[in-house]
Amino acid sequence: MASSVLYMSMSLDGFIAGPNDNPDNPGGDEFMRLHAWFVTPEGEFGRPGGVAGEVYDEMEQYGAIVAGRNTVEQVDHWGGERHGVRIFVPSHRPPGPSVAKYPKVTYVNDGIASAMAQAKEAAGDRHVLVHGAYTAQTALEAGVLDELQIHQIPVLFGSGRRLFDVLPRRIELDVVRVVDTPEATHLRYRVRR
């Protein structure tokens, strides 16, 4: 069965979004600084060179996505699909009417465990890409997040949205891999069960 992997770029002080994160300013002020490790000289997202490219390639091998409502709404559900895979959004509220035009987007109202189970089935033998702070925290609490791939960026934001603002308990992790580059340190952890 597929594994679920949280992929997030994070400042050294724990922020995944800068201050003033809202629909008119997705990711907040200076958000792109967190993603500069995979932005081309032309300003587009793309595969970086060297070992960071290998991390990027691995990240792009997902078969489904579980992402928080805030994340998907700020990017208009990636236009209804991202690399042709299904997107699952755990939410207690029904989706807005625009989602009807996106058949690959499924809002799941019976919890994170259900959303993850559906995503894992859809992913087949590939991993489930997980995005979003609240989604990560609830998935950890429910015991349905398998791994974390944190792209630690050498910057201190000072404020914004933290990745692990509230956790229900201590969660032990095993280090799987550390890839160090000048732009980011890529830290891969497995959630200890």
Side-chain angles (χ1 to χ4, degrees):
M1 179 173 266
S3 62
S4 55
V5 185
L6 174 70
Y7 284 91
M8 297 295 291
S9 292
M10 181 174 75
S11 68
L12 182 60
D13 52 348
F15 294 99
I16 60 164
N20 304 311
D21 178 28
N22 61 62
D24 295 325
N25 187 26
D29 300 342
E30 301 298 321
F31 177 68
M32 289 308 295
R33 173 62 183 97
L34 296 176
H35 304 284
W37 71 272
F38 68 101
V39 173
T40 67
E42 297 76 38
E44 300 293 323
F45 289 119
R47 185 186 190 280
V51 293
E54 295 170 21
V55 172
Y56 181 88
D57 291 344
E58 184 179 274
M59 178 176 67
E60 291 292 295
Q61 296 304 312
Y62 55 86
I65 298 171
V66 172
R69 187 174 187 136
N70 186 51
T71 298
V72 298
E73 288 182 348
Q74 286 190 358
V75 295
D76 188 26
H77 304 83
W78 292 288
E81 62 89 26
R82 191 167 168 197
H83 301 296
V85 305
R86 293 188 58 199
I87 301 166
F88 296 87
V89 184
S91 179
H92 300 294
R93 295 177 289 124
S98 68
V99 175
K101 64 184 177 186
Y102 300 141
K104 290 185 180 282
V105 176
T106 302
Y107 274 64
V108 180
N109 64 7
D110 58 345
I112 187 71
S114 177
M116 196 68 75
Q118 291 177 56
K120 284 184 173 187
E121 184 175 332
D125 61 353
R126 296 186 289 166
H127 69 269
V128 174
L129 178 116
V130 180
H131 272 322
Y134 180 76
T135 301
Q137 292 173 51
T138 57
L140 283 166
E141 182 177 11
V144 296
L145 184 60
D146 300 314
E147 295 187 13
L148 295 81
Q149 174 69 60
I150 305 298
H151 312 290
Q152 188 78 60
I153 310 304
V155 65
L156 299 168
F157 266 25
S159 64
R161 182 183 309 267
R162 288 190 188 276
L163 179 54
F164 299 115
D165 205 19
V166 179
L167 289 175
R169 59 184 164 36
R170 186 175 84 190
I171 300 188
E172 294 288 339
L173 306 171
D174 294 319
V175 176
V176 174
R177 177 186 65 216
V178 176
V179 175
D180 194 23
T181 70
E183 296 81 22
T185 300
H186 307 278
L187 306 160
R188 181 99 175 208
Y189 301 98
R190 185 170 295 112
V191 178
R192 192 179 297 171
R193 304 257 191 253

